[in-house]
């Protein structure tokens, strides 16, 4: 047994907070643990790690360890959970929970943060409810004193959802789901190339016993042909329909067919649909080779994605704040991401809603099961049907000609957006036109009709097959552009791109009275790695760039692990600090320098003072991320030289400008899904524009994600929402995350920047 802490009186000792991970492991748990530990220290509490889930609490001894700031250093890039997880049978029994309570009291711990699935969280709630009676029993038996019991009348709890299935009702994303999706989509991309070479069908089984999130999102992001999920079983005779759809896809130009099966897939009568059954059905009915790949535990493996690191850091930070602010009357809360914000939800309500889904599926109430999964899940199911439906829908009487153009810098996911726009547009009865080489190509008449199979294989391709240019049309180009639009009978324009794309669209829209060809619905879809366009919290391509940056920083940090070293890494983003701050948060940097907050001499002086002291006290690695435009004169080279001068013999300095690798690479699942969802919504908006025949109102918009929803803003008012000098939105939601970054990155003794 470990020695009990001498004092447990809250008046004389800091609040003690335990943190544990329980149930299935999930990528991002380490980032959450790190954030809970460091935020607790920042707020004056003493954190304790509880090893192997609830079992560590029951066993006591080395299962419960005091953690300090450095205990959680350099753990974010590691998969799984560093403090271990376990499915503890003993904790399900009151006797086990009694032992657990005794061990917590021994350490004076009465605040608990648990990261786990719905099982772990309901166990936590039960423990909280029983706490007073457990302590009463322990005191009666003389295992703790009456004073100890009186000093800890309540167990304060906060839960975080760690589950790769993304199955907790009421949250957008659970910890680990994004990384699992990365693993699955990577595997689908790999399989697609071999399947295409042999003209073969693949059946891929993914995790999800009661939740089809991974299967459905992987099907959309991977450009698959058919998908079977538990919440929405296929109608009787689905085998025939599936084979017919796959055959039509082949006839329309596909070289491979991929069917995704969630492990809990079933038919309407509740009979399981196995991946092997799907395979044999395909082989028998289509008469060609079909193979099964069961992804299994690969989905839990590897390095956590950038999202699972920054989102889990934010969640952990808020969980620590929540539990430390809790009072004896507070209900148990689970901290979850809703609409891209962390919010607290009643823990047991969330668990009960989650448990309703399998019950509804078992009762055959599939509509209600789908409804609990939320609006965007149902929307994606519909979009997937349209995307996978091959071939040409003959244009009806209301058929329109819709042109797609890219403009601005290259962003991964532009191809995904163009593919989705073409296929969804065709499915909705339009003629889709592709403009090559941005507005320059539009001026030169490089516009041609695009067919369903023209965009085959574009889902996972980086780059932009249609080409993109940064050029914003000049006044003399407006006439040839208008002629070109007229000649091709363009009824609507989808502009997919970044800052310059938005400026160009704005210009055309402003000139609609002079050039009737511009008096058509125009919708801007955000696609830029800089994440600096208005109306969308995230642009297509930003998540991919962030993952590239974080992966590069992981390698850079590793290269410095053998010596004492300081790194300065420069990211893109122009005047927008999103990539710098978020990569700093996801890769565990000590400092970020942004244009929004600037770099002052005072900041640098304090940073150098701190750094020198920190290296003297044993620091081995320092990482600063600098946005490319953070300061005109204090550039990356200057920062590196400053560090070198100050570091002298104490440490080496290396600087890296990441450059254009940030624009390359296959789009991440998130970017593919965002591209698909936004283009689908853009197509729907055109209808609204066409319906308006007055010719006077604004029928052009820029769209994007705002608090988790697709929102639209009128293009005519765009300039009121941006800072034209520094080319970024006036309101940048992520700026509030600077506080989170500061709390988990600098030791409390660190002098903070003036701006923080
Ligand atoms: P998950 O948290 O991933 O859903 P489980 O359902 O296996 O995984 O739960 C993990 C652990 O949480 C269990 O092994 C047990 O220790 C604890 N737990 C789960 N349900 C309960 C419960 N009803 N009462 C007490 N403890 C529970």
């Amino acid at each position: 047994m470990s020695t009990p802490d001498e004092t447990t009186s809250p008046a004389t000792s800091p609040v003690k907070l335990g943190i544990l991970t329980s149930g299935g492991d999930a990528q991002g748990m380490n980032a959450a643990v790190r954030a809970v530990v460091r935020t607790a220290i920042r707020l004056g509490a003493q954190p304790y790690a509880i090893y192997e889930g609830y079992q560590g609490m029951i066993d006591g001894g080395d299962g419960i360890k005091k953690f300090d700031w450095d205990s959680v250093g350099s753990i974010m890039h590691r998969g799984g959970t560093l403090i271990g997880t376990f499915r503890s049978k003993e904790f399900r029994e009151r006797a086990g929970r009694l032992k657990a309570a005794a061990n917590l009291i021994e350490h004076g711990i009465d605040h608990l943060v648990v990261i786990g699935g719905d099982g772990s969280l309901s166990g936590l709630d039960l423990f909280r409810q029983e706490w007073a009676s457990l302590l009463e029993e322990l005191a009666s038996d003389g295992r703790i004193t009456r004073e100890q019991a009186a000093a800890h009348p309540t167990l304060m709890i906060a839960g975080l959802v760690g589950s790769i299935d993304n199955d907790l009702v009421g949250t957008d994303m659970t910890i680990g789901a994004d990384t699992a999706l990365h693993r699955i989509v990577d595997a689908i991309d790999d399989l697609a190339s071999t399947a295409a070479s042999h003209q073969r069908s693949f059946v891929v089984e993914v995790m999800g016993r009661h939740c089809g999130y991974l299967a459905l999102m992987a099907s959309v992001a991977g450009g698959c042909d058919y998908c079977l999920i538990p919440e929405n079983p296929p109608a009787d005779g689905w085998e025939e329909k599936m084979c017919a759809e796959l055959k039509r896809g082949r006839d329309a130009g596909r070289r491979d067919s991929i069917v995704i099966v969630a492990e809990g897939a079933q038919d309407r009568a509740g009979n399981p649909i196995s991946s092997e059954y799907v395979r044999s059905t395909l082989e028998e009915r289509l008469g060609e080779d079909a193979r099964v790949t069961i992804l299994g535990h690969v989905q839990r493996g590897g390095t956590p994605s950038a999202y699972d690191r920054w989102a889990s850091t934010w969640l952990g930070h808020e969980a620590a704040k929540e539990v430390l602010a809790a009072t004896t009357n507070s209900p148990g809360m689970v901290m979850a991401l809703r609409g891209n914000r962390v919010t607290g939800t009643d823990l047991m309500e969330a668990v009960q809603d989650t448990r309703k889904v399998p019950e509804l599926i078992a009762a055959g109430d599939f509509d209600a099961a789908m409804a609990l999964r939320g609006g965007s899940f149902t929307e994606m199911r519909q979009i997937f049907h349209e995307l996978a439906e091959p071939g040409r829908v003959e244009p009806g009487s209301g058929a329109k000609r819709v042109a797609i153009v890219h403009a601005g810098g290259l962003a991964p996911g532009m191809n995904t957006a163009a593919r989705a726009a073409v296929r969804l547009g065709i499915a909705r009865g339009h003629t889709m036109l592709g403009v090559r080489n941005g507005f320059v190509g539009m001026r030169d008449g490089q516009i041609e009709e695009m067919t369903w199979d023209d965009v085959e294989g574009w889902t996972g391709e980086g780059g932009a097959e249609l080409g993109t240019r940064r050029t914003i049309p000049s006044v003399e180009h407006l006439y040839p552009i208008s002629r070109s639009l007229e000649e091709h009978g363009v009824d609507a324009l989808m502009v997919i791109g970044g800052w310059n794309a938005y400026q160009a669209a704005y210009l055309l829209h402003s000139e609609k009275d002079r050039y009737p060809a511009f008096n058509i619905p125009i919708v801007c879809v955000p696609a830029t790695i800089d994440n600096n366009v208005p109306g969308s919290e995230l642009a297509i391509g930003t998540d991919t760039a962030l993952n590239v940056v974080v992966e590069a920083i992981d390698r850079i940090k590793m290269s410095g692990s053998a010596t004492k070293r300081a790194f300065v890494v420069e990211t893109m983003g122009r005047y927008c600090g999103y990539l710098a701050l978020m990569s700093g948060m996801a890769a565990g940097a000590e400092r970020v320098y942004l244009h929004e907050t600037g770099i002052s001499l005072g900041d640098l002086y304090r940073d150098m003072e701190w750094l020198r002291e920190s290296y003297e006290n044993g620091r081995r690695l320092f990482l600063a991320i600098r946005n490319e435009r953070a300061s005109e004169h204090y550039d990356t080279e200057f920062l590196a030289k400053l560090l070198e001068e100050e570091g002298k013999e104490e440490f080496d300095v290396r600087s890296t400008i990441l450059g254009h690798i940030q624009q390359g690479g296959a789009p991440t699942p998130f970017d593919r899904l965002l591209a698909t969802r936004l283009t689908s919504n853009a197509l729907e908006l055109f209808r609204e524009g066409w319906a308006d025949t007055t010719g006077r109102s604004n029928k052009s918009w820029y769209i994007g994600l705002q608090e988790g929803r697709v929102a639209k803003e009128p293009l005519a008012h765009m300039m009121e929402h941006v800072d034209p000098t520094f080319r970024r939105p006036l309101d940048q939601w992520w700026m509030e995350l600077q506080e989170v970054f500061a709390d988990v990155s600098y030791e409390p003794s660190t002098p903070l920047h003036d701006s923080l």
Side-chain angles (χ1 to χ4, degrees):
M1 292 288 280
S2 65
T3 348
D5 293 39
E6 327 76 77
T7 62
T8 52
S9 154
T12 53
S13 73
V15 166
K16 315 272 172 67
L17 178 153
I19 163 108
L20 64 89
T21 52
S22 169
D25 61 321
Q27 307 286 34
M29 281 180 161
N30 285 334
V33 169
R34 171 180 175 270
V36 170
V37 166
R38 292 190 167 179
T39 307
I41 294 171
R42 170 83 54 191
L43 295 175
Q46 171 60 57
Y48 285 79
I50 299 167
Y51 283 78
E52 319 306 336
Y54 291 120
Q55 197 58 40
M57 257 181 358
I58 295 171
D59 295 344
D62 285 345
I64 305 178
K65 273 194 200 143
K66 234 182 201 177
F67 259 27
D68 61 22
W69 190 271
D70 291 329
S71 312
V72 288
S74 292
I75 64 167
M76 261 197 302
H77 62 288
R78 292 171 57 181
T81 162
L82 199 81
I83 58 173
T85 181
F86 195 71
R87 294 189 201 275
S88 164
K89 283 207 182 72
E90 256 187 287
F91 194 74
R92 289 181 183 271
E93 309 298 327
R94 186 176 159 91
R97 296 193 290 274
L98 196 66
K99 282 191 206 163
N103 281 320
L104 290 191
I105 289 297
E106 193 184 326
H107 289 87
I109 300 170
D110 57 8
H111 289 69
L112 205 53
V113 176
V114 169
I115 311 171
D118 62 334
S120 306
L121 298 184
S122 55
L124 175 65
D125 195 68
L126 181 63
F127 192 40
R128 182 188 69 110
Q129 284 175 33
E130 284 181 349
W131 181 257
S133 79
L134 292 171
L135 262 53
E136 173 57 36
E137 192 176 332
L138 290 169
S140 310
D141 293 353
R143 290 163 69 184
I144 61 170
T145 64
R146 288 271 163 210
E147 290 70 35
Q148 280 178 310
H152 307 286
T154 319
L155 180 69
M156 321 278 183
I157 60 167
L160 290 177
V161 197
S163 158
I164 70 163
D165 291 351
N166 201 23
D167 52 356
L168 198 92
V169 169
T171 78
D172 296 347
M173 285 297 271
T174 56
I175 294 173
D178 184 63
T179 308
L181 204 50
H182 272 251
R183 296 294 101 81
I184 297 169
V185 172
D186 282 352
I188 292 172
D189 285 353
D190 293 347
L191 285 173
S193 58
T194 165
S197 310
H198 295 275
Q199 301 220 22
R200 197 172 259 166
S201 299
F202 270 94
V203 181
V204 180
E205 184 179 310
V206 304
M207 284 186 173
R209 257 174 298 159
H210 306 296
C211 182
Y213 176 86
L214 290 176
L216 176 58
M217 299 305 158
S219 301
V220 175
C224 301
D225 303 73
Y226 203 82
C227 166
L228 291 152
I229 58 172
E231 299 91 334
N232 190 232
D236 290 348
W238 60 271
E239 293 92 336
E240 205 176 310
K241 192 168 170 286
M242 171 180 74
C243 293
E245 238 170 68
L246 260 53
K247 192 166 177 318
R248 277 209 305 281
R250 285 293 174 79
D251 295 344
R254 290 204 59 143
R255 290 186 53 85
D256 62 287
S257 311
I258 299 183
V259 177
I260 306 289
V261 184
E263 61 178 329
Q266 56 167 46
D267 65 19
R268 295 209 153 231
N271 304 307
I273 300 175
S274 71
S275 40
E276 177 49 34
Y277 176 70
V278 178
R279 187 201 65 79
S280 59
T281 305
L282 292 178
E283 217 163 65
E284 275 163 29
R285 299 192 184 210
L286 292 176
E288 68 169 44
D289 224 13
R291 303 285 163 96
V292 172
T293 298
I294 297 175
L295 291 180
H297 281 79
V298 164
Q299 293 161 88
R300 292 194 186 277
T303 305
S305 67
Y307 178 84
D308 270 329
R309 300 193 209 183
W310 69 254
S312 305
T313 299
W314 191 8
L315 285 164
H317 180 261
E318 300 309 312
K321 276 172 63 179
E322 170 74 27
V323 77
L324 290 171
T327 63
T328 48
N329 301 323
S330 305
M333 295 296 257
V334 58
M335 306 309 287
L337 277 155
R338 273 189 185 188
N340 207 25
R341 295 292 182 280
V342 177
T343 50
T345 309
D346 185 277
L347 189 145
M348 274 325 280
E349 260 176 44
V351 167
Q352 276 156 10
D353 279 350
T354 300
R355 294 192 165 168
K356 263 188 219 151
V357 178
E359 288 166 19
L360 289 167
I361 295 173
D365 193 348
F366 307 117
D367 290 343
M370 284 295 281
L372 276 178
R373 290 275 175 251
S376 62
F377 191 83
T378 313
E379 183 189 354
M380 276 306 197
R381 175 82 200 152
Q382 180 54 34
I383 291 177
F384 176 67
H385 272 309
E386 289 181 279
L387 277 176
E389 184 69 42
R392 174 120 188 93
V393 175
E394 281 315 313
S397 55
K400 299 281 187 186
R401 293 169 67 81
V402 177
I404 314 162
V405 63
H406 297 311
L410 182 65
M414 279 180 158
N415 275 333
T416 322
R419 170 189 180 269
V422 168
R423 290 203 172 165
L424 292 172
I426 290 172
R428 294 175 196 177
H430 307 311
T431 296
M432 299 305 293
L433 306 167
V435 180
R436 302 223 166 246
N437 302 317
F439 286 92
V440 175
M442 192 183 283
R443 178 197 67 194
D444 299 342
Q446 296 176 26
I447 303 178
E448 59 202 44
E449 184 175 343
M450 301 196 69
T451 62
W452 198 87
D453 55 320
D454 281 342
V455 291
E456 175 63 18
W458 284 19
T459 327
E461 287 286 325
E465 291 286 329
L466 284 175
T468 180
R469 294 283 182 88
R470 289 188 189 272
T471 321
I472 302 173
S474 54
V475 176
E476 62 270 24
H477 291 156
L478 292 179
Y479 178 70
I481 288 177
S482 76
R483 288 285 304 142
S484 190
L485 292 177
E486 271 160 9
E487 271 162 25
H488 289 88
V490 175
D491 296 308
L493 184 61
M494 192 187 299
V495 182
I496 304 167
W499 184 268
N500 285 7
Y502 278 51
Q503 294 299 314
Y506 180 76
L507 177 66
L508 262 52
H509 182 63
S510 324
E511 296 287 344
K512 69 182 185 335
D513 292 338
R514 223 172 308 173
Y515 301 94
F518 302 157
N519 196 14
I520 54 173
I522 302 174
V523 176
C524 295
V525 175
T528 164
I529 67 157
D530 299 336
N531 204 29
N532 64 341
V533 288
S536 196
E537 292 173 348
L538 291 164
I540 300 161
T542 306
D543 184 58
T544 307
L546 188 58
N547 275 281
V548 170
V549 173
V550 170
E551 203 187 312
I553 296 177
D554 280 353
R555 285 169 197 251
I556 289 169
K557 280 178 86 168
M558 240 176 273
S559 78
S561 59
T563 48
K564 282 190 170 185
R565 200 161 268 184
F567 291 103
V568 186
V569 176
E570 181 181 305
T571 63
M572 284 183 158
R574 294 185 169 251
Y575 291 103
C576 172
Y578 182 84
L579 272 186
L581 178 68
M582 303 312 266
S583 63
M585 197 145 129
E590 278 75 25
R591 289 288 189 277
V592 292
Y593 298 110
L594 315 179
H595 181 268
E596 286 85 348
T597 45
I599 309 179
S600 76
L601 196 56
D603 291 337
L604 293 178
Y605 179 78
R606 280 193 293 273
D607 287 353
M608 293 309 134
E609 287 281 287
W610 170 79
L611 197 59
R612 218 184 350 249
E613 200 183 304
S614 184
Y615 273 99
E616 276 165 22
N617 291 333
R619 168 173 295 282
R620 301 189 57 80
L621 205 72
F622 169 79
L623 173 66
I625 315 277
R626 182 186 170 281
N627 157 272
E628 60 183 346
R629 305 267 169 100
S631 156
E632 197 182 337
H633 298 294
Y634 299 149
D635 61 11
T636 300
E637 200 187 331
F638 172 84
L639 290 183
K641 285 195 170 142
L642 187 67
L643 282 165
E644 233 162 83
E645 181 65 28
E646 297 297 316
K648 300 228 163 63
E649 302 291 297
E650 194 66 46
F651 54 86
D652 291 344
V653 183
R654 297 283 185 276
S655 64
T656 309
I657 295 175
L658 292 177
H660 284 86
I661 61 164
Q662 293 161 87
Q663 287 183 315
T668 56
F670 180 86
D671 278 335
R672 299 185 198 189
L673 296 171
L674 183 62
T676 308
R677 201 169 158 207
L678 290 182
T679 46
S680 167
N681 279 271
L683 285 167
E684 283 318 285
L685 259 187
F686 289 142
R687 289 188 201 283
E688 207 175 302
W690 293 320
D692 168 34
T693 48
T694 64
R696 282 188 304 277
S697 57
N698 289 311
K699 50 189 179 185
S700 294
W701 299 270
Y702 54 103
I703 63 168
L705 268 193
Q706 287 181 31
E707 300 194 4
R709 293 206 168 80
V710 179
K712 63 172 198 266
E713 303 284 348
L715 194 52
H717 297 292
M718 184 179 81
M719 295 313 284
E720 295 157 28
H721 300 284
V722 296
D723 173 344
T725 313
F726 297 121
R727 301 160 56 110
R728 61 187 179 222
L730 290 175
D731 178 30
Q732 301 194 97
W733 67 275
W734 51 267
M735 290 285 282
E736 69 183 75
L737 294 181
Q738 284 185 103
E739 182 201 323
V740 179
F741 175 78
D743 281 353
V744 301
S745 308
Y746 314 157
E747 284 134 270
S749 59
T750 306
L752 296 184
H753 284 197
D754 293 340
S755 48
L756 291 170

